[in-house]
Amino acid sequence: MEDQDLPGVLVSGFEGPSGICKDHVGELQKYFNLITMQDLLENKTQVGPKIQAAYIWNRKPAIDQELLQSLPALKIVANAGAGLDHLDLKLIASFGVKVANTPQAVSSPTADMGMALLLAAARRVVEGHQLATSPDTKSFSTNWLGQEVTGSTLGIIGMGSIGYKVAQRARAFEMNILYHNRKRRKSEEEEAVGATYCERLDDLLQRSDFVMLAMSLTPQTQRLIGRRELRLMKPTAILVNIGRGLLVDQDALVEALQTGVIGAAALDVSYPEPLPSLPHLYFRDHPLLKLKNVTLTPHIGSATHQARWQMMENLIGSILASLNGLPIPNEVLLK
């Protein structure tokens, strides 16, 4: 039974792929009266004024003008994860509502995922698994080769908290680390991971054996990697994307992979997610799903039990701070 005296918090629901984690419900109910979108839609007049916070999990519930207008007591939108491309920050701010996210909770597991994808693509782990388990395999060829990671050059595009943690991990593999970022890191931070700043993105692309995207999606970064940028990369280069699918021109990427412009890609993100079927087909037949030089995972960069629990705890802290008039941890400020 919900405690009606606790502050009302809007959640997407308790079931389905967009529902909040079932393991988190009990902890959340210690602090909040959880109100689902279905509850709100069934009785906006009575329920809307009770909601003081929106708890965004897996990008749901969607925050738009109609919803904001129906929540007169809303003080904060608390978003799980670091990405904010699904939120209209200016619109939310125009209603006097704060926004918070959870960048620290996702940085380590997402960096781990980046390195996992890099290693899997370099050493052709998925192909190797298929070869080793295929009933048609009679022998293993000594000429079935991957790429060396140790001593190779990694170019990181986006040197925020995730990118920097990638650099820390890459250093243990004795990789040469280049990075391109909107703002250059302090010299002591560069020295700590042995990273070299590339002011020009083109320089990083031309020099790197592996290129990893670890940046946010903004209007300025949408399709940052297109046909021109892919052609600047080495023909053996591997592109790793742990940011957002729209950072890459996906059609140009398919072409580059099919024609040998680059060697391979390892993608935790795509656009859309999941990749759809072609318009005339009833099954999933996107070109990226069929290429042997592509490793795909279902946007699981932060998908560990520990990270998701920390995300929930961070969101609870941000909501409680907002409701009590205290400084909000991880508040997102309009630039």
PDB file of all heavy atoms in Angstrom, residues 301-332:
ATOM      1  N   GLY A 301      25.588  -0.283 -21.760  1.00  0.00           N
ATOM      2  CA  GLY A 301      26.779   0.298 -21.154  1.00  0.00           C
ATOM      3  C   GLY A 301      26.722   0.394 -19.646  1.00  0.00           C
ATOM      4  O   GLY A 301      27.691   0.105 -18.947  1.00  0.00           O
ATOM      5  N   SER A 302      25.573   0.772 -19.115  1.00  0.00           N
ATOM      6  CA  SER A 302      25.445   0.924 -17.655  1.00  0.00           C
ATOM      7  C   SER A 302      24.663  -0.218 -17.019  1.00  0.00           C
ATOM      8  O   SER A 302      24.263  -0.128 -15.861  1.00  0.00           O
ATOM      9  CB  SER A 302      24.751   2.248 -17.326  1.00  0.00           C
ATOM     10  OG  SER A 302      23.402   2.239 -17.781  1.00  0.00           O
ATOM     11  N   ALA A 303      24.462  -1.294 -17.768  1.00  0.00           N
ATOM     12  CA  ALA A 303      23.566  -2.358 -17.314  1.00  0.00           C
ATOM     13  C   ALA A 303      24.269  -3.353 -16.395  1.00  0.00           C
ATOM     14  O   ALA A 303      24.503  -4.505 -16.758  1.00  0.00           O
ATOM     15  CB  ALA A 303      22.947  -3.075 -18.508  1.00  0.00           C
ATOM     16  N   THR A 304      24.614  -2.895 -15.199  1.00  0.00           N
ATOM     17  CA  THR A 304      25.063  -3.790 -14.137  1.00  0.00           C
ATOM     18  C   THR A 304      24.161  -3.558 -12.927  1.00  0.00           C
ATOM     19  O   THR A 304      23.596  -2.472 -12.758  1.00  0.00           O
ATOM     20  CB  THR A 304      26.529  -3.535 -13.738  1.00  0.00           C
ATOM     21  OG1 THR A 304      26.629  -2.246 -13.087  1.00  0.00           O
ATOM     22  CG2 THR A 304      27.456  -3.562 -14.948  1.00  0.00           C
ATOM     23  N   HIS A 305      24.033  -4.577 -12.090  1.00  0.00           N
ATOM     24  CA  HIS A 305      23.203  -4.435 -10.889  1.00  0.00           C
ATOM     25  C   HIS A 305      23.698  -3.281 -10.021  1.00  0.00           C
ATOM     26  O   HIS A 305      22.907  -2.481  -9.511  1.00  0.00           O
ATOM     27  CB  HIS A 305      23.228  -5.732 -10.073  1.00  0.00           C
ATOM     28  CG  HIS A 305      22.559  -6.891 -10.751  1.00  0.00           C
ATOM     29  ND1 HIS A 305      21.202  -6.959 -10.937  1.00  0.00           N
ATOM     30  CD2 HIS A 305      23.082  -8.018 -11.292  1.00  0.00           C
ATOM     31  CE1 HIS A 305      20.900  -8.087 -11.559  1.00  0.00           C
ATOM     32  NE2 HIS A 305      22.024  -8.752 -11.789  1.00  0.00           N
ATOM     33  N   GLN A 306      25.021  -3.181  -9.902  1.00  0.00           N
ATOM     34  CA  GLN A 306      25.603  -2.155  -9.028  1.00  0.00           C
ATOM     35  C   GLN A 306      25.345  -0.751  -9.563  1.00  0.00           C
ATOM     36  O   GLN A 306      24.971   0.165  -8.815  1.00  0.00           O
ATOM     37  CB  GLN A 306      27.110  -2.403  -8.876  1.00  0.00           C
ATOM     38  CG  GLN A 306      27.457  -3.715  -8.199  1.00  0.00           C
ATOM     39  CD  GLN A 306      27.564  -4.890  -9.183  1.00  0.00           C
ATOM     40  OE1 GLN A 306      27.077  -4.826 -10.310  1.00  0.00           O
ATOM     41  NE2 GLN A 306      28.219  -5.949  -8.739  1.00  0.00           N
ATOM     42  N   ALA A 307      25.552  -0.564 -10.867  1.00  0.00           N
ATOM     43  CA  ALA A 307      25.364   0.768 -11.460  1.00  0.00           C
ATOM     44  C   ALA A 307      23.905   1.205 -11.385  1.00  0.00           C
ATOM     45  O   ALA A 307      23.604   2.360 -11.054  1.00  0.00           O
ATOM     46  CB  ALA A 307      25.849   0.777 -12.905  1.00  0.00           C
ATOM     47  N   ARG A 308      23.000   0.286 -11.683  1.00  0.00           N
ATOM     48  CA  ARG A 308      21.582   0.654 -11.671  1.00  0.00           C
ATOM     49  C   ARG A 308      21.103   0.996 -10.251  1.00  0.00           C
ATOM     50  O   ARG A 308      20.286   1.893 -10.061  1.00  0.00           O
ATOM     51  CB  ARG A 308      20.751  -0.482 -12.280  1.00  0.00           C
ATOM     52  CG  ARG A 308      21.035  -0.694 -13.776  1.00  0.00           C
ATOM     53  CD  ARG A 308      20.541   0.478 -14.614  1.00  0.00           C
ATOM     54  NE  ARG A 308      21.061   0.486 -15.964  1.00  0.00           N
ATOM     55  CZ  ARG A 308      20.525  -0.153 -17.003  1.00  0.00           C
ATOM     56  NH1 ARG A 308      19.462  -0.904 -16.834  1.00  0.00           N
ATOM     57  NH2 ARG A 308      21.062  -0.030 -18.197  1.00  0.00           N
ATOM     58  N   TRP A 309      21.627   0.288  -9.261  1.00  0.00           N
ATOM     59  CA  TRP A 309      21.265   0.617  -7.879  1.00  0.00           C
ATOM     60  C   TRP A 309      21.817   1.987  -7.496  1.00  0.00           C
ATOM     61  O   TRP A 309      21.121   2.791  -6.853  1.00  0.00           O
ATOM     62  CB  TRP A 309      21.772  -0.452  -6.922  1.00  0.00           C
ATOM     63  CG  TRP A 309      21.241  -0.288  -5.520  1.00  0.00           C
ATOM     64  CD1 TRP A 309      21.825   0.411  -4.501  1.00  0.00           C
ATOM     65  CD2 TRP A 309      20.003  -0.773  -5.002  1.00  0.00           C
ATOM     66  NE1 TRP A 309      21.041   0.367  -3.369  1.00  0.00           N
ATOM     67  CE2 TRP A 309      19.907  -0.353  -3.653  1.00  0.00           C
ATOM     68  CE3 TRP A 309      18.969  -1.538  -5.553  1.00  0.00           C
ATOM     69  CZ2 TRP A 309      18.820  -0.667  -2.857  1.00  0.00           C
ATOM     70  CZ3 TRP A 309      17.872  -1.851  -4.748  1.00  0.00           C
ATOM     71  CH2 TRP A 309      17.807  -1.415  -3.417  1.00  0.00           C
ATOM     72  N   GLN A 310      23.062   2.264  -7.905  1.00  0.00           N
ATOM     73  CA  GLN A 310      23.635   3.573  -7.615  1.00  0.00           C
ATOM     74  C   GLN A 310      22.865   4.688  -8.316  1.00  0.00           C
ATOM     75  O   GLN A 310      22.664   5.768  -7.753  1.00  0.00           O
ATOM     76  CB  GLN A 310      25.107   3.625  -8.031  1.00  0.00           C
ATOM     77  CG  GLN A 310      25.797   4.913  -7.586  1.00  0.00           C
ATOM     78  CD  GLN A 310      27.242   5.001  -8.038  1.00  0.00           C
ATOM     79  OE1 GLN A 310      27.860   4.000  -8.418  1.00  0.00           O
ATOM     80  NE2 GLN A 310      27.795   6.209  -8.014  1.00  0.00           N
ATOM     81  N   MET A 311      22.417   4.423  -9.536  1.00  0.00           N
ATOM     82  CA  MET A 311      21.603   5.411 -10.249  1.00  0.00           C
ATOM     83  C   MET A 311      20.344   5.732  -9.462  1.00  0.00           C
ATOM     84  O   MET A 311      19.974   6.908  -9.296  1.00  0.00           O
ATOM     85  CB  MET A 311      21.256   4.877 -11.643  1.00  0.00           C
ATOM     86  CG  MET A 311      22.432   4.843 -12.599  1.00  0.00           C
ATOM     87  SD  MET A 311      22.178   3.739 -14.021  1.00  0.00           S
ATOM     88  CE  MET A 311      20.922   4.615 -14.929  1.00  0.00           C
ATOM     89  N   MET A 312      19.683   4.678  -8.969  1.00  0.00           N
ATOM     90  CA  MET A 312      18.473   4.889  -8.172  1.00  0.00           C
ATOM     91  C   MET A 312      18.773   5.706  -6.922  1.00  0.00           C
ATOM     92  O   MET A 312      18.045   6.652  -6.586  1.00  0.00           O
ATOM     93  CB  MET A 312      17.859   3.544  -7.776  1.00  0.00           C
ATOM     94  CG  MET A 312      16.652   3.666  -6.864  1.00  0.00           C
ATOM     95  SD  MET A 312      16.340   2.174  -5.898  1.00  0.00           S
ATOM     96  CE  MET A 312      17.814   2.096  -4.888  1.00  0.00           C
ATOM     97  N   GLU A 313      19.850   5.364  -6.206  1.00  0.00           N
ATOM     98  CA  GLU A 313      20.215   6.100  -4.998  1.00  0.00           C
ATOM     99  C   GLU A 313      20.523   7.562  -5.313  1.00  0.00           C
ATOM    100  O   GLU A 313      20.122   8.466  -4.550  1.00  0.00           O
ATOM    101  CB  GLU A 313      21.429   5.445  -4.334  1.00  0.00           C
ATOM    102  CG  GLU A 313      21.118   4.097  -3.705  1.00  0.00           C
ATOM    103  CD  GLU A 313      22.313   3.488  -2.989  1.00  0.00           C
ATOM    104  OE1 GLU A 313      23.457   3.721  -3.459  1.00  0.00           O
ATOM    105  OE2 GLU A 313      22.123   2.796  -1.986  1.00  0.00           O
ATOM    106  N   ASN A 314      21.204   7.811  -6.423  1.00  0.00           N
ATOM    107  CA  ASN A 314      21.498   9.184  -6.827  1.00  0.00           C
ATOM    108  C   ASN A 314      20.228   9.967  -7.121  1.00  0.00           C
ATOM    109  O   ASN A 314      20.096  11.145  -6.742  1.00  0.00           O
ATOM    110  CB  ASN A 314      22.393   9.205  -8.069  1.00  0.00           C
ATOM    111  CG  ASN A 314      23.814   8.746  -7.819  1.00  0.00           C
ATOM    112  OD1 ASN A 314      24.580   8.544  -8.753  1.00  0.00           O
ATOM    113  ND2 ASN A 314      24.191   8.568  -6.556  1.00  0.00           N
ATOM    114  N   LEU A 315      19.275   9.318  -7.774  1.00  0.00           N
ATOM    115  CA  LEU A 315      18.012   9.985  -8.097  1.00  0.00           C
ATOM    116  C   LEU A 315      17.216  10.283  -6.831  1.00  0.00           C
ATOM    117  O   LEU A 315      16.610  11.361  -6.712  1.00  0.00           O
ATOM    118  CB  LEU A 315      17.189   9.126  -9.057  1.00  0.00           C
ATOM    119  CG  LEU A 315      17.782   8.910 -10.451  1.00  0.00           C
ATOM    120  CD1 LEU A 315      16.891   7.994 -11.275  1.00  0.00           C
ATOM    121  CD2 LEU A 315      17.979  10.238 -11.173  1.00  0.00           C
ATOM    122  N   ILE A 316      17.201   9.345  -5.906  1.00  0.00           N
ATOM    123  CA  ILE A 316      16.522   9.591  -4.625  1.00  0.00           C
ATOM    124  C   ILE A 316      17.135  10.812  -3.944  1.00  0.00           C
ATOM    125  O   ILE A 316      16.415  11.705  -3.462  1.00  0.00           O
ATOM    126  CB  ILE A 316      16.622   8.354  -3.709  1.00  0.00           C
ATOM    127  CG1 ILE A 316      15.756   7.219  -4.250  1.00  0.00           C
ATOM    128  CG2 ILE A 316      16.197   8.701  -2.276  1.00  0.00           C
ATOM    129  CD1 ILE A 316      15.922   5.901  -3.499  1.00  0.00           C
ATOM    130  N   GLY A 317      18.469  10.859  -3.900  1.00  0.00           N
ATOM    131  CA  GLY A 317      19.146  11.989  -3.262  1.00  0.00           C
ATOM    132  C   GLY A 317      18.828  13.317  -3.920  1.00  0.00           C
ATOM    133  O   GLY A 317      18.600  14.325  -3.239  1.00  0.00           O
ATOM    134  N   SER A 318      18.797  13.332  -5.243  1.00  0.00           N
ATOM    135  CA  SER A 318      18.500  14.567  -5.968  1.00  0.00           C
ATOM    136  C   SER A 318      17.064  15.027  -5.727  1.00  0.00           C
ATOM    137  O   SER A 318      16.795  16.219  -5.528  1.00  0.00           O
ATOM    138  CB  SER A 318      18.748  14.372  -7.467  1.00  0.00           C
ATOM    139  OG  SER A 318      20.110  14.151  -7.730  1.00  0.00           O
ATOM    140  N   ILE A 319      16.128  14.078  -5.740  1.00  0.00           N
ATOM    141  CA  ILE A 319      14.725  14.436  -5.519  1.00  0.00           C
ATOM    142  C   ILE A 319      14.516  14.961  -4.103  1.00  0.00           C
ATOM    143  O   ILE A 319      13.871  16.013  -3.899  1.00  0.00           O
ATOM    144  CB  ILE A 319      13.812  13.216  -5.783  1.00  0.00           C
ATOM    145  CG1 ILE A 319      13.835  12.838  -7.267  1.00  0.00           C
ATOM    146  CG2 ILE A 319      12.374  13.520  -5.341  1.00  0.00           C
ATOM    147  CD1 ILE A 319      13.137  11.531  -7.580  1.00  0.00           C
ATOM    148  N   LEU A 320      15.064  14.274  -3.115  1.00  0.00           N
ATOM    149  CA  LEU A 320      14.888  14.714  -1.723  1.00  0.00           C
ATOM    150  C   LEU A 320      15.513  16.090  -1.499  1.00  0.00           C
ATOM    151  O   LEU A 320      14.940  16.936  -0.794  1.00  0.00           O
ATOM    152  CB  LEU A 320      15.498  13.689  -0.769  1.00  0.00           C
ATOM    153  CG  LEU A 320      14.777  12.337  -0.687  1.00  0.00           C
ATOM    154  CD1 LEU A 320      15.540  11.374   0.217  1.00  0.00           C
ATOM    155  CD2 LEU A 320      13.338  12.512  -0.191  1.00  0.00           C
ATOM    156  N   ALA A 321      16.680  16.329  -2.087  1.00  0.00           N
ATOM    157  CA  ALA A 321      17.317  17.643  -1.948  1.00  0.00           C
ATOM    158  C   ALA A 321      16.436  18.729  -2.539  1.00  0.00           C
ATOM    159  O   ALA A 321      16.243  19.799  -1.943  1.00  0.00           O
ATOM    160  CB  ALA A 321      18.687  17.631  -2.633  1.00  0.00           C
ATOM    161  N   SER A 322      15.878  18.464  -3.714  1.00  0.00           N
ATOM    162  CA  SER A 322      15.011  19.448  -4.364  1.00  0.00           C
ATOM    163  C   SER A 322      13.773  19.746  -3.523  1.00  0.00           C
ATOM    164  O   SER A 322      13.402  20.907  -3.324  1.00  0.00           O
ATOM    165  CB  SER A 322      14.589  18.931  -5.742  1.00  0.00           C
ATOM    166  OG  SER A 322      13.618  19.772  -6.323  1.00  0.00           O
ATOM    167  N   LEU A 323      13.158  18.708  -3.006  1.00  0.00           N
ATOM    168  CA  LEU A 323      11.921  18.899  -2.237  1.00  0.00           C
ATOM    169  C   LEU A 323      12.166  19.599  -0.911  1.00  0.00           C
ATOM    170  O   LEU A 323      11.256  20.225  -0.358  1.00  0.00           O
ATOM    171  CB  LEU A 323      11.248  17.547  -1.988  1.00  0.00           C
ATOM    172  CG  LEU A 323      10.842  16.742  -3.240  1.00  0.00           C
ATOM    173  CD1 LEU A 323      10.045  15.513  -2.831  1.00  0.00           C
ATOM    174  CD2 LEU A 323      10.054  17.595  -4.218  1.00  0.00           C
ATOM    175  N   ASN A 324      13.410  19.511  -0.408  1.00  0.00           N
ATOM    176  CA  ASN A 324      13.743  20.149   0.868  1.00  0.00           C
ATOM    177  C   ASN A 324      14.499  21.471   0.698  1.00  0.00           C
ATOM    178  O   ASN A 324      15.009  22.016   1.678  1.00  0.00           O
ATOM    179  CB  ASN A 324      14.572  19.185   1.722  1.00  0.00           C
ATOM    180  CG  ASN A 324      13.731  18.032   2.250  1.00  0.00           C
ATOM    181  OD1 ASN A 324      12.858  18.224   3.090  1.00  0.00           O
ATOM    182  ND2 ASN A 324      13.971  16.840   1.743  1.00  0.00           N
ATOM    183  N   GLY A 325      14.556  21.963  -0.527  1.00  0.00           N
ATOM    184  CA  GLY A 325      15.191  23.258  -0.777  1.00  0.00           C
ATOM    185  C   GLY A 325      16.696  23.258  -0.595  1.00  0.00           C
ATOM    186  O   GLY A 325      17.289  24.307  -0.308  1.00  0.00           O
ATOM    187  N   LEU A 326      17.336  22.104  -0.764  1.00  0.00           N
ATOM    188  CA  LEU A 326      18.788  21.978  -0.601  1.00  0.00           C
ATOM    189  C   LEU A 326      19.474  21.949  -1.960  1.00  0.00           C
ATOM    190  O   LEU A 326      18.822  21.715  -2.989  1.00  0.00           O
ATOM    191  CB  LEU A 326      19.104  20.682   0.167  1.00  0.00           C
ATOM    192  CG  LEU A 326      18.516  20.573   1.586  1.00  0.00           C
ATOM    193  CD1 LEU A 326      18.739  19.174   2.143  1.00  0.00           C
ATOM    194  CD2 LEU A 326      19.089  21.634   2.495  1.00  0.00           C
ATOM    195  N   PRO A 327      20.799  22.200  -2.000  1.00  0.00           N
ATOM    196  CA  PRO A 327      21.525  22.060  -3.263  1.00  0.00           C
ATOM    197  C   PRO A 327      21.310  20.668  -3.851  1.00  0.00           C
ATOM    198  O   PRO A 327      21.392  19.674  -3.121  1.00  0.00           O
ATOM    199  CB  PRO A 327      22.972  22.306  -2.867  1.00  0.00           C
ATOM    200  CG  PRO A 327      22.908  23.121  -1.614  1.00  0.00           C
ATOM    201  CD  PRO A 327      21.682  22.646  -0.899  1.00  0.00           C
ATOM    202  N   ILE A 328      21.069  20.602  -5.155  1.00  0.00           N
ATOM    203  CA  ILE A 328      20.718  19.337  -5.797  1.00  0.00           C
ATOM    204  C   ILE A 328      21.969  18.656  -6.347  1.00  0.00           C
ATOM    205  O   ILE A 328      22.641  19.205  -7.208  1.00  0.00           O
ATOM    206  CB  ILE A 328      19.709  19.580  -6.932  1.00  0.00           C
ATOM    207  CG1 ILE A 328      18.436  20.226  -6.393  1.00  0.00           C
ATOM    208  CG2 ILE A 328      19.385  18.276  -7.654  1.00  0.00           C
ATOM    209  CD1 ILE A 328      17.488  20.711  -7.457  1.00  0.00           C
ATOM    210  N   PRO A 329      22.293  17.450  -5.857  1.00  0.00           N
ATOM    211  CA  PRO A 329      23.442  16.732  -6.423  1.00  0.00           C
ATOM    212  C   PRO A 329      23.180  16.430  -7.906  1.00  0.00           C
ATOM    213  O   PRO A 329      22.068  16.074  -8.300  1.00  0.00           O
ATOM    214  CB  PRO A 329      23.481  15.430  -5.610  1.00  0.00           C
ATOM    215  CG  PRO A 329      22.683  15.697  -4.387  1.00  0.00           C
ATOM    216  CD  PRO A 329      21.640  16.706  -4.776  1.00  0.00           C
ATOM    217  N   ASN A 330      24.209  16.601  -8.717  1.00  0.00           N
ATOM    218  CA  ASN A 330      24.127  16.305 -10.151  1.00  0.00           C
ATOM    219  C   ASN A 330      23.075  17.130 -10.886  1.00  0.00           C
ATOM    220  O   ASN A 330      22.502  16.676 -11.898  1.00  0.00           O
ATOM    221  CB  ASN A 330      23.859  14.802 -10.392  1.00  0.00           C
ATOM    222  CG  ASN A 330      24.913  13.911  -9.786  1.00  0.00           C
ATOM    223  OD1 ASN A 330      26.098  14.158  -9.954  1.00  0.00           O
ATOM    224  ND2 ASN A 330      24.489  12.882  -9.076  1.00  0.00           N
ATOM    225  N   GLU A 331      22.819  18.341 -10.405  1.00  0.00           N
ATOM    226  CA  GLU A 331      21.875  19.203 -11.110  1.00  0.00           C
ATOM    227  C   GLU A 331      22.425  19.563 -12.481  1.00  0.00           C
ATOM    228  O   GLU A 331      23.613  19.860 -12.634  1.00  0.00           O
ATOM    229  CB  GLU A 331      21.593  20.474 -10.317  1.00  0.00           C
ATOM    230  CG  GLU A 331      20.578  21.390 -11.006  1.00  0.00           C
ATOM    231  CD  GLU A 331      20.241  22.637 -10.212  1.00  0.00           C
ATOM    232  OE1 GLU A 331      20.757  22.793  -9.090  1.00  0.00           O
ATOM    233  OE2 GLU A 331      19.437  23.452 -10.715  1.00  0.00           O
ATOM    234  N   VAL A 332      21.567  19.525 -13.485  1.00  0.00           N
ATOM    235  CA  VAL A 332      21.946  19.898 -14.845  1.00  0.00           C
ATOM    236  C   VAL A 332      21.578  21.359 -15.050  1.00  0.00           C
ATOM    237  O   VAL A 332      20.408  21.735 -14.939  1.00  0.00           O
ATOM    238  CB  VAL A 332      21.217  19.012 -15.871  1.00  0.00           C
ATOM    239  CG1 VAL A 332      21.568  19.443 -17.285  1.00  0.00           C
ATOM    240  CG2 VAL A 332      21.562  17.544 -15.652  1.00  0.00           C
TER     241      VAL A 332
END
